[in-house]
Amino acid sequence: DAASFSADDLRLERDGVVQSLAGTTLTLTPLAGNQYRVSGLAAATGTDGSYTLTLLTTGLLSSSGAAGLGGQTVGWRMDTMAPRVLDVQDLLETVRKTVVQSLDVEMSERVDLTTFDYRDIMLTRSVNGVTSGNLIDAKTKVEHLSGNFYRVSGFNWVSGLEGTYQFSVSGAGLADEAGNAGSGEASQSWLMDFHDPAAATNLAITPDNGASTSDMRSNQLNFMLTGQLGETDLSVRVTDHTTGNEIGYATVDGLTFSIAVKLDAAGSHELRVRTVDAAGNLADAFVTVFVDVVRPTLATPELHRDAEGNVDSITLNFSEAIDAASLTLAALNLSRDGGANLLQGTTLTRVNATQYVLSDLASRTSDAGSYRFSVALPQVRDEADNVGVGSVELQFSGAQASTGSVSGVVY
């Protein structure tokens, strides 16, 4: 009996909340047989949300006047919002030498997957200011992950060359499950780079105390290593190849770098200076640093006498190579009976890196007396700028006495 139908026979819920139908004009129209149409719900169901409509048949009467039993529920979702492309996954490495296998796309809501395919995607490659056409084709696939997230894959085979890639997704061709047309666009870009950077150059240490300021010799276990780079945005990592110890990452400032090096022991150390660009391409430079912390010492000087017994020269044998500029007559002294230095005008000759000869002494040691020869080691430096300690002294007498001979006839 259609006349027994009223709004009280319906319960409308949106997102689990009962909606009032008071003031709503509802009609129940017979269709065919036992089918009827409920009209007049538009005003109460125009807001987006999930709806359930329950018909409470207990308030209805059949044509014979019998009361109804039970009820029936139907549900639907009202969606008038257009789906939008919100974001394309951010790459952790936007400068790289490995291809991008896939990218995830976030939508504002779930879309009809039949409307989202390769035709909604664009991928271009730019080299030296020239940009390609769209590289995407039917091999590119789109799959639903969960919620509002989708994964685009299958474009890696067209993005393996060097260049700058721009990947974008357009929502213009998309639709949600309610048929609302999509909108919005999101993109991601990256650079493919296979070229190794230039190795570091002009490597230097401070202090460099050797014979020159660039011979990589020092008397310090702790020093600064610096150098120049061929391009910006590089990382520099230093390793002691001799010991296997990692020195660490250098501080990079544009085209230069510096790092404090701390070695465990003296001696020769081969340092590897590795430069790495943002894509992971690398180049190595090597430098050998020699650290000498041992002070030079001097063995007992060797006296050499001429045929008359006068000391004509003195040989000096050092424990290591000496900076020749540091060993001068000013560091040497020869006196007789505590008198003045007699070495003015003598000759000091370098035989090799560790041996020197003081000559032209015969005329200065021909007088009888007690001679004292000394070397002031604090004035002597080795090739790493270590100075000696104390002095080495030697005392000797003047011309040696002749033993003579006896000749004649024996009676």
Side-chain angles (χ1 to χ4, degrees), residues 13 30 58 122 150 154-155 161 169-170 182 198-199 203 207 217-218 233 243 248 283 296 321 337:
E13 296 181 12
T58 54
M122 175 170 282
Y150 297 80
F155 57 87
L161 299 177
V169 177
S170 172
L203 300 177
R217 297 180 71 92
S218 180
D233 300 320
T243 63
D337 297 331

Side-chain angles (χ1 to χ4, degrees), residues 7 12-13 17-24 43-44:
L12 178 68
E13 296 181 12
V17 179
V18 175
Q19 304 298 305
S20 173
L21 294 175
T24 303

Side-chain angles (χ1 to χ4, degrees), residues 161-403:
L161 299 177
E162 283 198 321
T164 299
Y165 290 85
Q166 180 80 15
F167 176 96
S168 60
V169 177
S170 172
L174 307 182
D176 63 14
E177 294 173 342
N180 299 299
S183 64
E185 183 175 301
S187 62
Q188 175 64 265
S189 63
W190 65 93
L191 171 66
M192 290 291 285
D193 178 9
F194 302 136
H195 282 87
D196 292 334
T201 58
N202 295 332
L203 300 177
I205 62 172
T206 305
D208 188 325
N209 305 115
S212 73
T213 58
S214 60
D215 61 2
M216 296 293 173
R217 297 180 71 92
S218 180
N219 58 4
Q220 303 292 323
L221 290 173
N222 299 340
F223 53 85
M224 292 296 297
L225 174 66
T226 59
Q228 291 186 323
L229 304 173
E231 59 186 270
T232 59
D233 300 320
L234 296 179
S235 298
V236 179
R237 180 182 178 186
V238 180
T239 304
D240 185 348
H241 256 202
T242 302
T243 63
N245 293 336
E246 290 294 335
I247 304 300
Y249 285 90
T251 298
V252 177
D253 183 8
L255 296 176
T256 63
F257 76 90
S258 63
I259 184 173
V261 177
K262 297 181 179 180
L263 299 179
D264 294 334
S268 179
H269 293 261
E270 183 184 55
L271 303 182
R272 182 191 70 191
V273 180
R274 172 165 288 177
T275 54
V276 184
D277 65 18
N281 303 298
L282 57 88
D284 290 336
F286 295 89
V287 61
T288 298
V289 176
F290 187 82
V291 177
D292 177 7
V293 296
V294 179
R295 297 176 182 272
T297 60
L298 175 63
T300 301
E302 300 175 3
L303 301 180
H304 305 281
R305 295 179 183 270
D306 61 15
E308 280 117 26
N310 301 313
V311 174
D312 184 47
S313 64
I314 301 175
T315 299
L316 306 178
N317 291 299
F318 290 91
S319 59
E320 59 178 309
I322 295 301
D323 178 4
S326 73
L327 183 59
T328 66
L329 292 178
L332 311 180
N333 184 275
L334 176 64
S335 64
R336 181 174 64 86
D337 297 331
N341 192 349
L342 304 173
L343 292 181
Q344 184 176 358
T346 57
T347 302
L348 182 61
T349 303
R350 180 181 184 273
V351 178
N352 56 49
T354 62
Q355 188 177 78
Y356 292 77
V357 173
L358 180 64
S359 55
D360 299 328
L361 300 179
S363 62
R364 293 167 175 79
T365 61
S366 58
D367 294 332
S370 176
Y371 290 84
R372 177 178 173 274
F373 174 74
S374 65
V375 179
L377 290 179
Q379 298 185 48
V380 179
R381 301 187 307 271
D382 65 15
E383 293 182 343
D385 209 35
N386 298 296
V387 297
V389 176
S391 64
V392 174
E393 299 181 359
L394 178 66
Q395 290 187 334
F396 59 92
S397 60
Q400 292 179 331
S402 175
T403 58

Side-chain angles (χ1 to χ4, degrees), residues 41-52:
L41 293 171
T45 60
T47 303
D48 283 5
S50 296
Y51 289 86
T52 58

Side-chain angles (χ1 to χ4, degrees), residues 101-105 107 110-111 113 116-118 121 140-154:
Q101 297 289 342
S102 63
L103 285 169
D104 293 346
V105 181
M107 301 291 183
R110 187 163 177 169
V111 300
L113 193 56
F116 188 9
D117 61 17
Y118 71 94
I121 303 165
T140 300
K141 304 300 180 185
V142 179
E143 61 178 311
H144 179 243
L145 295 178
S146 63
N148 302 334
F149 289 90
Y150 297 80
R151 176 161 294 167
V152 180
S153 60

